[in-house]
Amino acid sequence: MASHSSISPKDPVFSYSQFACIGSGFSGIALGATLQRWYGITDIRFFEKQSQLGGTWHINQYPGCACDIPSALYSLSFECNPNWTRVLPTYAELWEYINGVARKYDLLDKMTFGAAVERCVWIEDKGRWRMWIRQKQTGQVIVHECQFLYSAVGFFDQPRELEIPGAERFQGPMFHSARWRHDVDLTGKRVVVFGNGCTGSQIVPAIVDKTASLTQVVRSKHWVYPPIDEKVPFWLMFTLANVPGTMQLQRFLMFIKMEVEFIGFGDGKFAKAFRKKRQRQVEAYMRAMAPEKYHDLLIPDFEVGCKRRIFDSGYLKSLHNEHLRLTDEPVEEILPHGLKMKSGEIIEADVIVMANGFKTNEFFLDCDIVGLGEETIHEHWTSFGGAEAYNCESLSGFPNFFLLGGPNVATGHTSFLIAVENAINYSLRVIEPLLKGKGSVAEVKREAEEKYVQTLHRALQDTVFSTGCSSWYNRTVDGKKPWNASAYPWSQAHHWYSCLFPSWKDWRLSGQTGKNKIVRQSHTLTRLLTLTTFTLGMVYWSRKNPNTVLASLLAQPKTILPWLAGAAVQSGTEAFAVIRGVWR
């Protein structure tokens, strides 16, 4: 946890904006664009510690770096893109896309780069957040105030350290995948790669042919699925660009396809049968593609879904390369020119690449967030037993503060950006009364937060995430049982619905009233029509296709009846709001 109580700027720069956001990746840019689309609000500032926007897709620029979610879904719903060249886009293509969105909504001028947010404090008598931001190059401190504070830092921000003695003695280049050294030529070099997760499995096939030798130190096992990436054909790109509605249809079909995979994350008989079938398919693929001598090193003994799945991008085929060696032998220490293994063997190396992941389940490691009563965010989380948030984004005692990509928002089967958009939309629905002048402060109640967190963690116990494997979803806190502050236990359809209608009994609105600052009203009628159409469409489709997985799921009363009942009640509430507004 950061400690910046000694901040004492000599000549600070003071500024104010109604909204402020920490970070300028997908989440932050989606926030800025949605504020304009919904309410015509442009009064927002972004503070980004990196030199450019892009977040994950600026930080990660290693060879082979690409998304593992189809581009049709790993994009913003209101900025569908017909020009994706691959099913799984590269980091460069993703960066160009998000940069284009930022330019379209004129967000670049609102961004301050190389600016590390060190401390944020809620000033109760002013109803504002006060931020201390340090310019990394000059040391200049900016003191910025805002009414609404958002964190869009994300999960993959802090590289994990390699806990092996002797790293400081290594005389060659040694770097993390998220800090890739483009000035280091790997041609003819003896390279060691630590890690074989999503990142390691992309790096190895991209570099193995140019190396003199490549040793990959396997630290865990992963399920490697058959590849889904391919070049997008010209006819499809042309259709998406010129036929109205096709991009939205493609996105919806992809959402359904990915969402079906969530069926395998539960604890019931149907879910276990789904996982066993998927596991047989994936294991057969791995055995067919990987060298037989590595089967025991690669094929997991835990269920599919317990860890993030990997789509093969040429990794298993690359293991046949005569330059490559796979080993799971523990590394005893790092020497000036290589590694010393537990057996005493010396593996010579010119370059070491750490593809060992990030510090997940941990948030705000280099920034203090201080709420009501001078309670810090880490003190708040300690009182709960670990990082958490109401609806995955709000904390009692921290008014007008929202986490985008916060605790328990990650999914193991679909696009993270769906959850991000849901979180943005929910937060704006919560503060809409304030924007209309009906107060100035919104705070979730402690009892509501406690109830939500208890329900969420009980639900997690009935998922594949709790079946015992070691993954970045779970982290042991103070030697106690593992605390999962990463995974969401329900479907993204559930998350969308939970973000559609704020439960006002869980919120406390206060502060001074004022003028309505909204230029464009929210889309109540659109939300109602979307919900109704989606519900009726699911029922109609399942009747026409009774033998599908979705139809089987909808046929189970315990699954569908509560959802339909809730949808009916909430739809009625929305309809009443629309009728009342027209009557007036």
Side-chain angles (χ1 to χ4, degrees):
M1 182 174 65
S3 178
H4 302 289
S5 57
S6 60
I7 294 177
S8 55
K10 294 181 180 179
D11 296 302
V13 176
F14 294 91
S15 57
Y16 171 82
S17 62
Q18 186 179 19
F19 288 81
C21 183
I22 306 172
S24 64
F26 259 102
S27 301
I29 291 170
L31 170 65
T34 305
L35 276 171
Q36 290 187 42
R37 292 172 49 247
W38 281 28
Y39 302 133
I41 293 176
T42 60
D43 189 13
I44 184 172
R45 286 281 300 277
F46 301 86
F47 297 99
E48 171 61 63
K49 65 181 179 180
Q50 302 299 330
S51 59
Q52 295 184 44
L53 60 80
T56 295
W57 303 110
H58 167 67
I59 295 171
N60 291 279
Q61 299 184 14
Y62 57 82
C65 180
C67 188
D68 63 354
I69 296 293
S71 51
L73 207 55
Y74 197 86
S75 51
L76 300 175
S77 63
F78 54 88
E79 287 297 336
C80 292
N81 178 25
N83 301 315
W84 296 116
T85 62
R86 304 199 65 83
V87 173
L88 301 181
T90 65
Y91 77 89
E93 195 168 10
L94 284 163
W95 189 89
E96 287 295 336
Y97 167 79
I98 197 62
N99 182 56
V101 175
R103 290 184 179 279
K104 176 178 178 179
Y105 290 92
D106 295 322
L107 300 179
L108 287 174
D109 291 341
K110 305 175 188 305
M111 297 178 180
T112 303
F113 297 110
V117 179
E118 297 183 339
R119 186 175 175 83
C120 302
V121 178
W122 174 253
I123 310 300
E124 187 172 4
D125 60 345
K126 298 182 68 175
R128 291 183 178 181
W129 282 95
R130 183 173 296 162
M131 309 167 65
W132 283 265
I133 304 110
R134 190 179 301 275
Q135 290 279 13
K136 295 170 68 175
Q137 287 190 341
T138 65
Q140 174 71 58
V141 170
I142 300 170
V143 179
H144 185 80
E145 291 189 354
C146 62
Q147 182 182 3
F148 301 105
L149 175 62
Y150 282 76
S151 170
V153 174
F155 278 94
F156 307 124
D157 179 56
Q158 298 279 351
R160 183 182 297 161
E161 297 175 0
L162 194 63
E163 297 178 353
I164 298 175
E168 71 283 353
R169 300 201 305 267
F170 186 67
Q171 294 187 3
M174 180 175 177
F175 48 87
H176 193 275
S177 58
R179 304 290 185 268
W180 192 268
R181 291 273 305 275
H182 292 282
D183 61 318
V184 176
D185 185 4
L186 300 181
T187 304
K189 300 292 176 60
R190 298 165 298 182
V191 179
V192 169
V193 175
F194 281 93
N196 66 319
C198 293
T199 300
S201 65
Q202 291 181 337
I203 291 175
V204 167
I207 68 172
V208 64
D209 287 335
K210 65 172 63 175
T211 64
S213 68
L214 193 156
T215 301
Q216 186 178 25
V217 180
V218 176
R219 314 193 82 185
S220 60
K221 299 177 180 181
H222 302 268
W223 288 109
V224 182
Y225 283 49
I228 64 170
D229 186 33
E230 61 181 351
K231 187 176 180 180
V232 178
F234 173 77
W235 67 264
L236 180 56
M237 294 175 66
F238 180 84
T239 301
L240 294 172
N242 293 282
V243 180
T246 52
M247 288 189 291
Q248 290 74 17
L249 177 62
Q250 180 198 39
R251 181 181 177 89
F252 177 73
L253 293 176
M254 186 60 66
F255 169 77
I256 294 297
K257 179 179 175 62
M258 302 293 285
E259 196 73 349
V260 166
E261 291 294 316
F262 177 76
I263 296 171
F265 285 75
D267 193 41
K269 292 182 180 180
F270 190 78
K272 290 179 179 178
F274 186 93
R275 287 202 296 273
K276 285 183 179 180
K277 180 181 178 180
R278 183 70 77 236
Q279 186 167 321
R280 288 194 298 268
Q281 294 170 340
V282 178
E283 183 172 344
Y285 173 77
M286 293 181 69
R287 290 187 180 278
M289 294 300 296
E292 185 175 356
K293 63 181 178 179
Y294 291 143
H295 286 179
D296 291 341
L297 297 183
L298 293 169
I299 298 176
D301 54 3
F302 51 82
E303 296 184 77
V304 296
C306 189
K307 282 187 176 182
R308 179 80 176 182
R309 52 95 184 97
I310 297 173
F311 287 119
D312 193 9
S313 58
Y315 174 64
L316 297 181
K317 182 180 179 181
S318 73
L319 298 180
H320 292 275
N321 194 302
E322 61 182 9
H323 299 307
L324 188 145
R325 172 189 175 188
L326 206 62
T327 179
D328 64 349
E329 182 180 351
V331 178
E332 191 171 271
E333 65 175 319
I334 297 176
L335 305 174
H337 299 286
L339 311 178
K340 181 180 179 182
M341 312 304 285
K342 186 177 181 180
S343 64
E345 178 190 4
I346 304 298
I347 297 178
E348 295 184 341
D350 303 310
V351 180
I352 294 178
V353 176
M354 296 175 287
N356 59 323
F358 298 82
K359 295 178 180 178
T360 57
N361 267 299
E362 300 177 78
F363 301 84
F364 300 108
L365 296 177
D366 53 7
C367 177
D368 291 329
I369 309 292
V370 184
L372 290 169
E374 298 185 356
E375 180 187 41
T376 69
I377 198 167
H378 293 95
E379 290 171 344
H380 181 82
W381 282 335
T382 297
S383 71
F384 277 85
E388 51 69 45
Y390 173 86
N391 213 25
C392 305
E393 64 174 314
S394 303
L395 305 172
S396 58
F398 294 80
N400 293 4
F401 176 58
F402 299 95
L403 295 156
L404 305 180
N408 297 107
V409 79
T411 70
H413 67 290
T414 191
S415 175
F416 169 75
L417 296 184
I418 297 175
V420 166
E421 284 197 59
N422 287 333
I424 292 170
N425 297 348
Y426 179 79
S427 69
L428 296 185
R429 287 167 185 144
V430 167
I431 67 173
E432 182 175 304
L434 311 184
L435 299 176
K436 290 181 176 179
K438 300 176 182 179
S440 59
V441 177
E443 179 196 358
V444 71
K445 298 176 183 177
R446 172 83 184 200
E447 56 269 25
E449 183 181 1
E450 290 175 346
K451 182 179 179 181
Y452 180 87
V453 173
Q454 291 168 4
T455 302
L456 182 143
H457 280 273
R458 280 198 301 268
L460 281 171
Q461 295 304 310
D462 296 328
T463 66
V464 70
F465 302 118
S466 299
T467 55
C469 74
S470 174
S471 74
W472 62 264
Y473 293 120
N474 295 296
R475 184 174 74 93
T476 301
V477 181
D478 297 330
K480 301 178 182 178
K481 66 179 182 179
W483 180 269
N484 188 333
S486 298
Y488 188 72
W490 302 294
S491 69
Q492 277 305 295
H494 178 281
H495 189 230
W496 166 77
Y497 183 73
S498 69
C499 292
L500 198 59
F501 308 99
S503 179
W504 294 112
K505 64 182 177 57
D506 293 342
W507 287 88
R508 184 182 298 110
L509 304 184
S510 60
Q512 296 180 345
T513 60
K515 296 181 180 180
N516 185 348
K517 299 180 180 180
I518 294 179
V519 175
R520 301 170 187 171
Q521 300 299 321
S522 60
H523 309 294
T524 299
L525 182 58
T526 302
R527 299 205 299 267
L528 170 60
L529 292 174
T530 300
L531 176 62
T532 304
T533 303
F534 179 72
T535 303
L536 294 177
M538 287 178 64
V539 174
Y540 176 79
W541 188 86
S542 64
R543 288 181 178 275
K544 290 291 185 180
N545 302 273
N547 297 321
T548 61
V549 173
L550 180 60
S552 299
L553 185 64
L554 293 176
Q556 301 179 46
K558 290 184 178 180
T559 300
I560 191 61
L561 288 181
W563 191 88
L564 287 177
V569 171
Q570 294 290 4
S571 296
T573 302
E574 283 285 284
F576 178 75
V578 173
I579 294 170
R580 186 176 61 176
V582 173
W583 181 263
R584 288 181 177 177

Tab-separated table of all heavy atoms in Angstrom, residues 207 336 374 484 496 549:
chain	number	residue	atom	x	y	z
A	207	ILE	N	8.951	-15.995	-31.085
A	207	ILE	CA	10.394	-15.726	-31.026
A	207	ILE	C	11.265	-16.956	-31.203
A	207	ILE	O	12.465	-16.819	-31.457
A	207	ILE	CB	10.785	-15.037	-29.691
A	207	ILE	CG1	10.619	-15.987	-28.501
A	207	ILE	CG2	9.972	-13.761	-29.481
A	207	ILE	CD1	11.165	-15.435	-27.181
A	336	PRO	N	25.048	-15.022	-13.065
A	336	PRO	CA	25.379	-13.923	-13.993
A	336	PRO	C	25.123	-14.263	-15.465
A	336	PRO	O	24.805	-13.382	-16.263
A	336	PRO	CB	26.874	-13.681	-13.729
A	336	PRO	CG	27.060	-14.091	-12.303
A	336	PRO	CD	26.147	-15.261	-12.108
A	374	GLU	N	-11.629	9.620	7.411
A	374	GLU	CA	-10.224	9.347	7.117
A	374	GLU	C	-9.921	7.858	6.994
A	374	GLU	O	-8.794	7.408	7.181
A	374	GLU	CB	-9.305	9.988	8.177
A	374	GLU	CG	-9.421	11.504	8.238
A	374	GLU	CD	-8.421	12.133	9.192
A	374	GLU	OE1	-7.696	11.383	9.867
A	374	GLU	OE2	-8.355	13.367	9.233
A	484	ASN	N	-11.230	-14.499	-3.311
A	484	ASN	CA	-11.376	-14.253	-4.743
A	484	ASN	C	-11.937	-12.859	-4.954
A	484	ASN	O	-13.125	-12.624	-4.765
A	484	ASN	CB	-12.308	-15.308	-5.359
A	484	ASN	CG	-12.337	-15.231	-6.883
A	484	ASN	OD1	-12.115	-14.176	-7.471
A	484	ASN	ND2	-12.625	-16.355	-7.520
A	496	TRP	N	-25.481	-7.434	-16.673
A	496	TRP	CA	-26.164	-6.392	-17.443
A	496	TRP	C	-27.483	-6.018	-16.785
A	496	TRP	O	-27.799	-4.841	-16.613
A	496	TRP	CB	-26.391	-6.897	-18.874
A	496	TRP	CG	-27.369	-6.074	-19.656
A	496	TRP	CD1	-27.137	-4.862	-20.243
A	496	TRP	CD2	-28.750	-6.381	-19.911
A	496	TRP	NE1	-28.284	-4.409	-20.864
A	496	TRP	CE2	-29.284	-5.323	-20.679
A	496	TRP	CE3	-29.573	-7.458	-19.598
A	496	TRP	CZ2	-30.604	-5.295	-21.122
A	496	TRP	CZ3	-30.890	-7.443	-20.034
A	496	TRP	CH2	-31.388	-6.374	-20.786
A	549	VAL	N	-28.398	-26.098	-26.182
A	549	VAL	CA	-28.007	-25.919	-24.777
A	549	VAL	C	-28.820	-24.813	-24.131
A	549	VAL	O	-29.284	-24.925	-22.989
A	549	VAL	CB	-26.495	-25.609	-24.682
A	549	VAL	CG1	-26.113	-25.256	-23.246
A	549	VAL	CG2	-25.683	-26.803	-25.155
